[in-house]
Amino acid sequence: MSTLPKIGTYASTKKVQGMRLYVENIFGDDPSVFYLVEVIDKASTNDYSSLGDEMDKEQWEALVEEYGLEFQG
């Protein structure tokens, strides 16, 4: 069963050392059905001209699996 991601920083434990993403928002109530995640590179969180990405449930979960993303807080 899926769980909603948490707002905060996620770090890669596979492939790309030092890759850190920041989850800004999550939209959706039932993680087993559908949700959207707004994410940006951690280094760009204070740069208001930087663009983030919006991912659906499948895209986010594939990214977490591929890069071994772990919640850092």
Side-chain angles (χ1 to χ4, degrees):
M1 174 168 181
S2 297
T3 60
L4 288 174
K6 299 175 185 173
I7 292 177
T9 303
Y10 285 78
S12 174
T13 61
K14 298 187 216 175
K15 290 190 178 183
V16 182
Q17 289 297 95
M19 182 175 107
R20 295 166 55 89
L21 300 174
Y22 185 80
V23 172
E24 296 182 304
N25 278 311
I26 302 109
F27 302 98
D29 295 325
D30 186 350
S32 65
V33 177
F34 181 80
Y35 60 83
L36 292 174
V37 179
E38 289 183 348
V39 63
I40 192 166
D41 180 69
K42 176 65 175 158
S44 299
T45 55
N46 293 323
D47 181 356
Y48 298 108
S49 65
S50 293
L51 297 175
D53 289 307
E54 185 175 84
M55 300 177 197
D56 64 21
K57 166 188 164 64
E58 288 79 20
Q59 292 168 320
W60 172 253
E61 291 176 359
L63 188 72
V64 168
E65 177 64 28
E66 182 176 353
Y67 291 98
L69 296 179
E70 291 184 0
F71 185 69
Q72 303 291 303

